[in-house]
Amino acid sequence: MKEKIVKYKWALLMLLSLILVNWALPDIGKSANSLTLSNFGTMLSVLPPIMLLIGLLDVWVPKETMIRYMGEHSGPTGFLIAFFLGSFAAGPLYAAFPVAAILLKKRAKITNVLFFLGVWSTAKLPMVMFEYTSFGGKFTFIHILSNLTVFLIGAIVLEKVLSKDEKEHIYQIATELA
Amino acid sequence: MTTSIFYIVVGILTIISFIKDKTKTKKALKIGFNSFRKLLPSIIPMMIGIGLILSILSPNTVSQLLGEKSGILGAITAMVIGSIAFMPSFVAFPLGANLLSHGAGFPQIAGFISSLMAVGVVSLGLEIKYFGKMTAILRNITALTASIVFVLLVWRLM
Protein backbone atom coordinates (compact mmCIF):
# COMPACT_ATOMS: atom_id res chain seq x y z
CA MET A 1 0.00 0.00 0.00
CA LYS A 2 2.72 2.45 1.04
CA GLU A 3 4.69 1.46 -2.03
CA LYS A 4 1.73 2.25 -4.24
CA ILE A 5 1.34 5.69 -2.69
CA VAL A 6 5.01 6.49 -3.27
CA LYS A 7 4.73 5.27 -6.84
CA TYR A 8 1.71 7.42 -7.52
CA LYS A 9 2.81 10.44 -5.48
CA TRP A 10 2.85 12.72 -8.51
CA ALA A 11 -0.54 11.54 -9.62
CA LEU A 12 -1.92 12.21 -6.14
CA LEU A 13 -0.23 15.60 -6.00
CA MET A 14 -1.71 16.58 -9.35
CA LEU A 15 -5.13 15.34 -8.34
CA LEU A 16 -4.85 17.44 -5.19
CA SER A 17 -3.92 20.52 -7.26
CA LEU A 18 -6.90 19.92 -9.51
CA ILE A 19 -9.21 19.73 -6.51
CA LEU A 20 -7.62 22.88 -5.10
CA VAL A 21 -8.09 24.75 -8.37
CA ASN A 22 -11.71 23.59 -8.49
CA TRP A 23 -12.25 24.93 -5.01
CA ALA A 24 -10.42 28.26 -5.43
CA LEU A 25 -11.12 29.08 -9.09
CA PRO A 26 -14.28 27.22 -10.11
CA ASP A 27 -14.29 28.60 -13.68
CA ILE A 28 -10.77 27.51 -14.51
CA GLY A 29 -11.34 24.32 -12.54
CA LYS A 30 -14.30 23.42 -14.69
CA SER A 31 -12.36 23.73 -17.92
CA ALA A 32 -9.39 21.94 -16.35
CA ASN A 33 -11.69 19.04 -15.45
CA SER A 34 -13.03 18.64 -18.95
CA LEU A 35 -9.57 19.04 -20.52
CA THR A 36 -8.16 16.44 -18.16
CA LEU A 37 -10.97 14.05 -19.03
CA SER A 38 -10.43 14.55 -22.73
CA ASN A 39 -6.68 13.97 -22.23
CA PHE A 40 -7.45 10.65 -20.60
CA GLY A 41 -9.80 9.87 -23.47
CA THR A 42 -7.06 10.52 -26.04
CA MET A 43 -4.58 8.52 -24.03
CA LEU A 44 -6.87 5.52 -23.68
CA SER A 45 -7.75 5.53 -27.37
CA VAL A 46 -4.18 5.96 -28.61
CA LEU A 47 -2.21 3.70 -26.29
CA PRO A 48 -3.78 0.19 -26.57
CA PRO A 49 -2.67 -0.59 -30.14
CA ILE A 50 0.76 0.91 -29.47
CA MET A 51 1.19 -1.24 -26.36
CA LEU A 52 0.04 -4.29 -28.28
CA LEU A 53 2.55 -3.49 -31.01
CA ILE A 54 5.29 -3.25 -28.40
CA GLY A 55 4.37 -6.70 -27.10
CA LEU A 56 4.36 -8.17 -30.60
CA LEU A 57 7.70 -6.54 -31.42
CA ASP A 58 9.14 -7.98 -28.25
CA VAL A 59 8.15 -11.58 -28.92
CA TRP A 60 8.56 -11.71 -32.70
CA VAL A 61 11.64 -9.61 -33.44
CA PRO A 62 14.80 -11.23 -32.08
CA LYS A 63 17.57 -9.02 -30.79
CA GLU A 64 19.89 -10.14 -33.59
CA THR A 65 17.46 -8.92 -36.23
CA MET A 66 17.10 -5.56 -34.56
CA ILE A 67 20.88 -5.20 -34.22
CA ARG A 68 21.33 -6.07 -37.88
CA TYR A 69 18.78 -3.53 -39.15
CA MET A 70 18.90 -0.76 -36.56
CA GLY A 71 21.95 -1.49 -34.43
CA GLU A 72 25.45 -0.09 -34.12
CA HIS A 73 26.56 -0.95 -37.65
CA SER A 74 23.25 -0.70 -39.46
CA GLY A 75 24.28 2.44 -41.36
CA PRO A 76 21.72 4.20 -43.58
CA THR A 77 19.33 1.24 -43.29
CA GLY A 78 18.85 2.02 -39.63
CA PHE A 79 18.04 5.63 -40.38
CA LEU A 80 15.56 4.65 -43.08
CA ILE A 81 13.75 2.21 -40.80
CA ALA A 82 13.68 4.82 -38.03
CA PHE A 83 12.21 7.26 -40.52
CA PHE A 84 9.47 4.91 -41.70
CA LEU A 85 8.60 3.76 -38.18
CA GLY A 86 8.26 7.39 -37.09
CA SER A 87 6.29 8.64 -40.07
CA PHE A 88 3.69 5.87 -40.00
CA ALA A 89 2.99 6.55 -36.37
CA ALA A 90 -0.17 7.84 -34.80
CA GLY A 91 -0.47 9.62 -31.49
CA PRO A 92 1.26 12.24 -29.37
CA LEU A 93 4.96 12.17 -28.61
CA TYR A 94 4.56 10.56 -25.19
CA ALA A 95 3.21 7.46 -26.91
CA ALA A 96 6.51 7.19 -28.78
CA PHE A 97 8.57 6.79 -25.60
CA PRO A 98 7.60 3.18 -24.84
CA VAL A 99 8.16 2.27 -28.50
CA ALA A 100 11.60 3.85 -28.34
CA ALA A 101 12.24 1.89 -25.15
CA ILE A 102 11.51 -1.45 -26.81
CA LEU A 103 13.80 -0.50 -29.72
CA LEU A 104 16.54 0.26 -27.19
CA LYS A 105 15.84 -2.97 -25.32
CA LYS A 106 16.57 -4.80 -28.57
CA ARG A 107 19.77 -2.81 -28.94
CA ALA A 108 18.89 -0.39 -31.68
CA LYS A 109 21.49 2.36 -32.03
CA ILE A 110 20.75 5.42 -29.87
CA THR A 111 21.14 7.76 -32.87
CA ASN A 112 18.46 5.84 -34.73
CA VAL A 113 16.08 5.86 -31.78
CA LEU A 114 16.49 9.61 -31.28
CA PHE A 115 15.93 10.21 -34.97
CA PHE A 116 12.81 8.04 -34.74
CA LEU A 117 11.52 10.29 -31.93
CA GLY A 118 12.22 13.35 -34.06
CA VAL A 119 10.35 11.98 -37.04
CA TRP A 120 7.44 10.91 -34.82
CA SER A 121 7.16 14.42 -33.38
CA THR A 122 7.31 16.30 -36.66
CA ALA A 123 6.71 14.21 -39.71
CA LYS A 124 3.87 11.76 -39.01
CA LEU A 125 2.37 11.24 -42.44
CA PRO A 126 -1.28 12.07 -41.65
CA MET A 127 -0.20 15.22 -39.81
CA VAL A 128 1.99 16.29 -42.73
CA MET A 129 -1.03 16.18 -45.02
CA PHE A 130 -3.05 18.14 -42.50
CA GLU A 131 -0.27 20.71 -42.14
CA TYR A 132 -0.12 21.05 -45.92
CA THR A 133 -3.80 21.91 -46.13
CA SER A 134 -3.57 24.29 -43.14
CA PHE A 135 -0.42 26.26 -44.00
CA GLY A 136 0.48 25.42 -47.57
CA GLY A 137 3.28 23.48 -49.22
CA LYS A 138 6.16 25.89 -48.75
CA PHE A 139 5.66 26.17 -44.98
CA THR A 140 5.29 22.41 -44.56
CA PHE A 141 8.26 21.67 -46.77
CA ILE A 142 10.57 24.05 -44.87
CA HIS A 143 9.25 22.69 -41.56
CA ILE A 144 9.92 19.03 -42.30
CA LEU A 145 13.22 19.58 -44.08
CA SER A 146 14.73 21.93 -41.48
CA ASN A 147 13.52 20.00 -38.45
CA LEU A 148 14.57 16.59 -39.73
CA THR A 149 18.01 17.93 -40.66
CA VAL A 150 18.51 19.33 -37.15
CA PHE A 151 17.16 16.13 -35.55
CA LEU A 152 19.54 14.04 -37.63
CA ILE A 153 22.55 16.17 -36.71
CA GLY A 154 21.41 16.33 -33.08
CA ALA A 155 21.00 12.54 -32.88
CA ILE A 156 24.48 11.94 -34.31
CA VAL A 157 26.06 14.54 -32.00
CA LEU A 158 24.26 13.19 -28.93
CA GLU A 159 25.53 9.69 -29.59
CA LYS A 160 29.05 11.10 -29.84
CA VAL A 161 28.69 13.14 -26.64
CA LEU A 162 27.46 10.24 -24.50
CA SER A 163 30.12 8.14 -22.84
CA LYS A 164 30.05 4.37 -23.05
CA ASP A 165 28.77 4.12 -19.48
CA GLU A 166 26.00 6.63 -20.10
CA LYS A 167 24.89 4.71 -23.18
CA GLU A 168 24.86 1.49 -21.22
CA HIS A 169 22.78 3.25 -18.56
CA ILE A 170 20.24 4.37 -21.19
CA TYR A 171 19.96 0.84 -22.55
CA GLN A 172 19.45 -0.44 -19.03
CA ILE A 173 16.68 1.92 -17.91
CA ALA A 174 14.90 1.51 -21.25
CA THR A 175 15.04 -2.25 -20.89
CA GLU A 176 13.52 -2.07 -17.42
CA LEU A 177 10.61 0.03 -18.65
CA ALA A 178 9.87 -1.72 -21.94
CA MET B 1 -9.21 8.31 -38.55
CA THR B 2 -5.48 7.58 -38.22
CA THR B 3 -6.10 5.91 -34.91
CA SER B 4 -8.68 3.56 -36.43
CA ILE B 5 -6.28 2.58 -39.23
CA PHE B 6 -3.70 1.88 -36.57
CA TYR B 7 -6.19 -0.27 -34.65
CA ILE B 8 -6.98 -2.26 -37.79
CA VAL B 9 -3.32 -2.81 -38.70
CA VAL B 10 -2.30 -3.88 -35.19
CA GLY B 11 -5.47 -5.99 -34.93
CA ILE B 12 -4.56 -7.87 -38.11
CA LEU B 13 -1.00 -8.34 -36.89
CA THR B 14 -2.28 -9.73 -33.62
CA ILE B 15 -4.57 -12.19 -35.41
CA ILE B 16 -1.71 -13.37 -37.63
CA SER B 17 0.46 -13.70 -34.56
CA PHE B 18 -2.25 -15.69 -32.77
CA ILE B 19 -2.65 -18.10 -35.70
CA LYS B 20 1.09 -18.65 -35.89
CA ASP B 21 1.76 -19.04 -32.18
CA LYS B 22 -0.76 -18.88 -29.37
CA THR B 23 1.62 -18.80 -26.42
CA LYS B 24 3.84 -16.14 -27.98
CA THR B 25 0.81 -13.94 -28.63
CA LYS B 26 -0.37 -14.33 -25.05
CA LYS B 27 3.09 -13.32 -23.92
CA ALA B 28 2.94 -10.29 -26.23
CA LEU B 29 -0.35 -9.21 -24.68
CA LYS B 30 1.14 -9.55 -21.23
CA ILE B 31 4.23 -7.53 -22.18
CA GLY B 32 2.06 -4.84 -23.74
CA PHE B 33 -0.10 -4.61 -20.66
CA ASN B 34 2.95 -4.47 -18.43
CA SER B 35 4.49 -1.55 -20.32
CA PHE B 36 1.16 0.20 -20.04
CA ARG B 37 1.16 -0.34 -16.29
CA LYS B 38 4.68 1.01 -15.98
CA LEU B 39 3.64 4.09 -17.92
CA LEU B 40 0.71 4.90 -15.63
CA PRO B 41 2.45 6.50 -12.60
CA SER B 42 4.03 9.14 -14.82
CA ILE B 43 1.33 9.55 -17.41
CA ILE B 44 -1.57 10.15 -15.03
CA PRO B 45 -0.04 13.30 -13.47
CA MET B 46 0.93 14.43 -16.98
CA MET B 47 -2.65 14.22 -18.20
CA ILE B 48 -3.92 16.25 -15.22
CA GLY B 49 -1.02 18.72 -15.53
CA ILE B 50 -1.78 19.31 -19.20
CA GLY B 51 -5.44 19.83 -18.33
CA LEU B 52 -4.47 22.45 -15.76
CA ILE B 53 -2.03 24.23 -18.07
CA LEU B 54 -4.41 24.27 -21.01
CA SER B 55 -7.25 25.63 -18.88
CA ILE B 56 -5.06 28.71 -18.38
CA LEU B 57 -3.28 28.62 -21.75
CA SER B 58 -6.42 28.04 -23.81
CA PRO B 59 -6.56 28.55 -27.61
CA ASN B 60 -8.17 31.90 -26.78
CA THR B 61 -5.25 33.02 -24.66
CA VAL B 62 -2.82 31.83 -27.30
CA SER B 63 -4.67 33.93 -29.88
CA GLN B 64 -4.41 36.95 -27.65
CA LEU B 65 -0.71 36.44 -27.05
CA LEU B 66 0.24 35.81 -30.65
CA GLY B 67 -2.55 37.56 -32.47
CA GLU B 68 -1.15 40.86 -33.55
CA LYS B 69 2.27 40.66 -32.07
CA SER B 70 5.05 40.31 -34.56
CA GLY B 71 8.78 40.62 -34.57
CA ILE B 72 11.36 38.64 -32.68
CA LEU B 73 9.57 38.95 -29.34
CA GLY B 74 6.44 37.43 -30.86
CA ALA B 75 8.41 34.51 -32.24
CA ILE B 76 10.10 33.89 -28.89
CA THR B 77 6.77 34.06 -27.07
CA ALA B 78 5.38 31.63 -29.62
CA MET B 79 8.16 29.14 -28.97
CA VAL B 80 7.83 29.43 -25.19
CA ILE B 81 4.08 28.83 -25.39
CA GLY B 82 4.57 25.99 -27.85
CA SER B 83 7.10 24.29 -25.57
CA ILE B 84 4.85 24.46 -22.51
CA ALA B 85 1.45 23.96 -24.08
CA PHE B 86 0.35 20.56 -25.17
CA MET B 87 -2.39 20.19 -27.72
CA PRO B 88 -3.02 17.70 -30.49
CA SER B 89 -2.15 18.82 -34.01
CA PHE B 90 -5.77 18.66 -35.10
CA VAL B 91 -6.45 21.50 -32.63
CA ALA B 92 -3.20 23.36 -33.21
CA PHE B 93 -3.24 23.53 -37.00
CA PRO B 94 -6.67 25.15 -37.38
CA LEU B 95 -5.74 27.49 -34.51
CA GLY B 96 -2.54 28.47 -36.35
CA ALA B 97 -4.41 29.00 -39.62
CA ASN B 98 -6.93 31.15 -37.78
CA LEU B 99 -4.14 33.21 -36.19
CA LEU B 100 -2.63 33.79 -39.61
CA SER B 101 -5.87 35.16 -40.95
CA HIS B 102 -6.06 37.45 -37.91
CA GLY B 103 -2.73 39.10 -38.48
CA ALA B 104 -0.11 36.84 -36.93
CA GLY B 105 2.97 36.32 -39.05
CA PHE B 106 4.29 33.05 -40.48
CA PRO B 107 7.45 33.07 -38.29
CA GLN B 108 5.39 33.21 -35.09
CA ILE B 109 3.14 30.40 -36.26
CA ALA B 110 6.21 28.42 -37.29
CA GLY B 111 7.70 28.81 -33.81
CA PHE B 112 4.46 27.85 -32.11
CA ILE B 113 3.66 24.80 -34.26
CA SER B 114 7.17 23.43 -34.38
CA SER B 115 7.93 23.71 -30.66
CA LEU B 116 4.46 22.45 -29.82
CA MET B 117 5.10 19.26 -31.77
CA ALA B 118 8.69 18.55 -30.79
CA VAL B 119 9.49 20.19 -27.44
CA GLY B 120 7.76 18.76 -24.39
CA VAL B 121 8.27 20.53 -21.08
CA VAL B 122 5.29 18.75 -19.51
CA SER B 123 6.41 15.35 -20.71
CA LEU B 124 10.04 15.92 -19.71
CA GLY B 125 9.60 13.96 -16.48
CA LEU B 126 8.36 10.95 -18.40
CA GLU B 127 11.11 11.34 -20.98
CA ILE B 128 13.79 11.43 -18.28
CA LYS B 129 12.36 8.25 -16.80
CA TYR B 130 12.74 6.49 -20.15
CA PHE B 131 16.07 7.82 -21.44
CA GLY B 132 17.86 9.49 -18.51
CA LYS B 133 18.30 13.14 -17.73
CA MET B 134 21.05 13.98 -20.17
CA THR B 135 19.47 12.39 -23.24
CA ALA B 136 16.02 13.80 -22.50
CA ILE B 137 17.27 17.34 -21.96
CA LEU B 138 19.58 17.26 -24.97
CA ARG B 139 16.79 15.91 -27.17
CA ASN B 140 14.56 18.79 -26.13
CA ILE B 141 17.34 21.30 -26.74
CA THR B 142 17.82 19.78 -30.20
CA ALA B 143 14.08 20.14 -30.80
CA LEU B 144 14.17 23.76 -29.67
CA THR B 145 17.12 24.40 -31.97
CA ALA B 146 15.17 22.85 -34.83
CA SER B 147 12.29 25.23 -34.09
CA ILE B 148 14.61 28.24 -34.10
CA VAL B 149 16.14 27.17 -37.42
CA PHE B 150 12.65 26.73 -38.84
CA VAL B 151 11.58 30.20 -37.65
CA LEU B 152 14.67 31.81 -39.17
CA LEU B 153 14.15 30.03 -42.48
CA VAL B 154 10.49 31.01 -42.62
CA TRP B 155 11.49 34.57 -41.79
CA ARG B 156 13.83 34.72 -44.76
CA LEU B 157 11.90 32.66 -47.25
CA MET B 158 8.23 33.43 -46.72
Side-chain angles (χ1 to χ4, degrees), chain B residues 64-107:
Chain B
Q64 276 168 15
L65 286 171
L66 297 185
E68 279 149 43
K69 210 181 271 182
S70 56
I72 292 177
L73 198 67
I76 294 172
T77 313
M79 279 190 274
V80 172
I81 297 175
S83 305
I84 299 168
F86 194 107
M87 49 180 98
S89 303
F90 58 82
V91 177
F93 289 168
L95 173 66
N98 193 27
L99 289 175
L100 276 177
S101 64
H102 283 91
F106 268 108

Side-chain angles (χ1 to χ4, degrees), chain A residues 48-65:
Chain A
I50 291 176
M51 291 304 164
L52 198 52
L53 194 66
I54 288 170
L56 289 173
L57 255 169
D58 204 358
V59 297
W60 285 109
V61 180
K63 212 180 207 171
E64 297 73 42
T65 315

Side-chain angles (χ1 to χ4, degrees), chain A residues 67-84 109 111-112 115 152 156:
Chain A
I67 290 172
R68 177 145 33 109
Y69 290 107
M70 286 189 88
E72 209 54 55
H73 305 290
S74 57
T77 321
F79 270 121
L80 275 178
I81 296 175
F83 178 79
F84 281 113
K109 197 178 175 182
T111 307
N112 292 340
F115 186 57
L152 194 58
I156 294 169

